[in-house]
Amino acid sequence: MKLFRKFRLKAVAQKKIKSYFKYSIGEILIVVIGVMIAVYLNNWNQAHQTNLEIETYFERIQEEITTNGEFIKGNSLITKDSMIPSLVIARSIIINGQADSLESLSKKIRFLTESESLSFQFPVIEEFVSKGYLSEINDPQLNKLITFFNYYKAQCNITDETTRDYQIHLVKPFLLKNTRYADLDIYLDQPILDEEGYRSLAQLLKNREAENLISLYISHLTNSSANFDSLFDVLTQIHGRIEEIK
């Protein structure tokens, strides 16, 4: 720059206007090129930093999917292989009025009682999306999978909330009113009932309200299990797609 300034001053002193403009334009071009290089390097550095952050998020997302996926799949299997079949048997005992099956009924019907929440949280995926990294990747397939993920996660949370409300406001009051079968933890191997408690269960036999409550609850559980499976499938696809992008 000092060299160009020296030439410009010399051109002015010698009244060489063309030379003056030539050196002025050269000086401007150097400034412009310098700015462009600086902008390019800054953009490159930002893009590189963003790519590093995305790679870190990819690892964390896959870990989150692996951990939560196992939990989701496990709950789906428990629902389909244990809870629903047990309640189907309980309903059959009630419909057929099987007084000799009260002990079996006491074991099967425990799945009607209040259970833990199955609301699923994915803070890493949500943080990844909220920071705009999804748009940085610009992968239509991953975008579509994240949309499905948000939908099925919301459905799982809705069915979980609906099921718990059903248990608290309908099933539990019914059991408290009609039997001595109250507040039984679903993880107990054997229900805590004395002889009078078993006799109280006989009131449920051929009870249409009990039958309807169980049928509706089975429907809730079936929907929950379907949502669990759909969410698990989408998470598996997201994990695979991230592996391909990496």
Side-chain angles (χ1 to χ4, degrees):
M1 297 298 291
K2 289 184 179 180
L3 182 62
F4 274 95
R5 191 175 297 112
K6 180 179 178 181
F7 285 143
R8 282 193 295 107
L9 293 175
K10 183 177 179 181
V12 170
Q14 296 176 356
K15 297 183 180 180
K16 295 180 178 179
I17 304 301
K18 288 185 178 180
S19 296
Y20 172 81
F21 281 115
K22 186 194 310 182
Y23 291 127
S24 295
I25 293 172
E27 189 173 353
I28 293 170
L29 286 174
I30 288 178
V31 171
V32 171
I33 292 172
V35 170
M36 291 175 65
I37 292 174
V39 170
Y40 171 80
L41 291 175
N42 182 62
N43 290 341
W44 181 87
N45 184 61
Q46 288 182 348
H48 179 66
Q49 184 63 33
T50 298
N51 287 335
L52 291 177
E53 292 174 359
I54 288 174
E55 288 177 6
T56 300
Y57 267 107
F58 276 169
E59 295 293 336
R60 293 174 60 200
I61 288 172
Q62 287 183 313
E63 291 175 3
E64 184 174 69
I65 288 175
T66 299
T67 301
N68 287 355
E70 292 176 357
F71 180 66
I72 292 168
K73 192 64 176 177
N75 276 287
S76 177
L77 290 174
I78 290 173
T79 301
K80 289 187 293 186
D81 297 344
S82 183
M83 296 180 72
I84 292 177
S86 292
L87 291 173
V88 168
I89 293 173
R91 182 177 60 184
S92 176
I93 292 172
I94 290 172
I95 291 173
N96 296 320
Q98 298 171 232
D100 59 344
S101 301
L102 290 180
E103 184 177 354
S104 177
L105 177 62
S106 71
K107 295 175 182 178
K108 305 300 182 184
I109 205 174
R110 74 184 190 272
F111 291 110
L112 281 174
T113 57
E114 188 175 351
S115 59
E116 66 175 338
S117 173
L118 295 178
S119 179
F120 306 114
Q121 303 299 325
F122 293 84
V124 179
I125 294 179
E126 291 169 2
E127 184 178 295
F128 175 79
V129 174
S130 68
K131 287 189 174 183
Y133 290 131
L134 196 58
S135 60
E136 290 285 343
I137 299 170
N138 192 27
D139 184 87
Q141 186 174 344
L142 185 58
N143 271 276
K144 185 177 181 179
L145 290 172
I146 292 295
T147 299
F148 287 149
F149 158 76
N150 288 327
Y151 172 77
Y152 287 118
K153 182 171 75 71
Q155 290 302 305
C156 284
N157 291 339
I158 290 171
T159 52
D160 175 66
E161 184 178 346
T162 302
T163 299
R164 288 178 62 77
D165 284 344
Y166 180 74
Q167 289 173 323
I168 294 169
H169 299 297
L170 291 176
V171 175
K172 195 171 181 180
F174 174 80
L175 292 177
L176 286 169
K177 177 182 177 181
N178 293 280
T179 73
R180 292 186 56 198
Y181 203 92
D183 249 351
L184 191 64
D185 191 321
I186 89 170
Y187 296 110
L188 291 176
D189 291 331
Q190 296 291 337
I192 305 172
L193 287 177
D194 53 22
E195 289 185 11
E196 186 178 346
Y198 280 115
R199 285 197 299 271
S200 72
L201 284 180
Q203 300 180 62
L204 301 182
L205 299 179
K206 295 192 175 182
N207 184 308
R208 183 58 63 85
E209 185 176 0
E211 176 191 339
N212 291 337
L213 282 173
I214 294 176
S215 294
L216 188 54
Y217 191 52
I218 290 173
S219 177
H220 281 304
L221 292 178
T222 301
N223 289 335
S224 294
S225 180
N227 286 327
F228 292 159
D229 289 341
S230 295
L231 181 58
F232 179 79
D233 289 342
V234 170
L235 288 171
T236 301
Q237 292 180 60
I238 290 175
H239 190 288
R241 183 56 185 165
I242 286 176
E243 195 63 35
E244 291 175 358
I245 295 173
K246 287 164 58 178

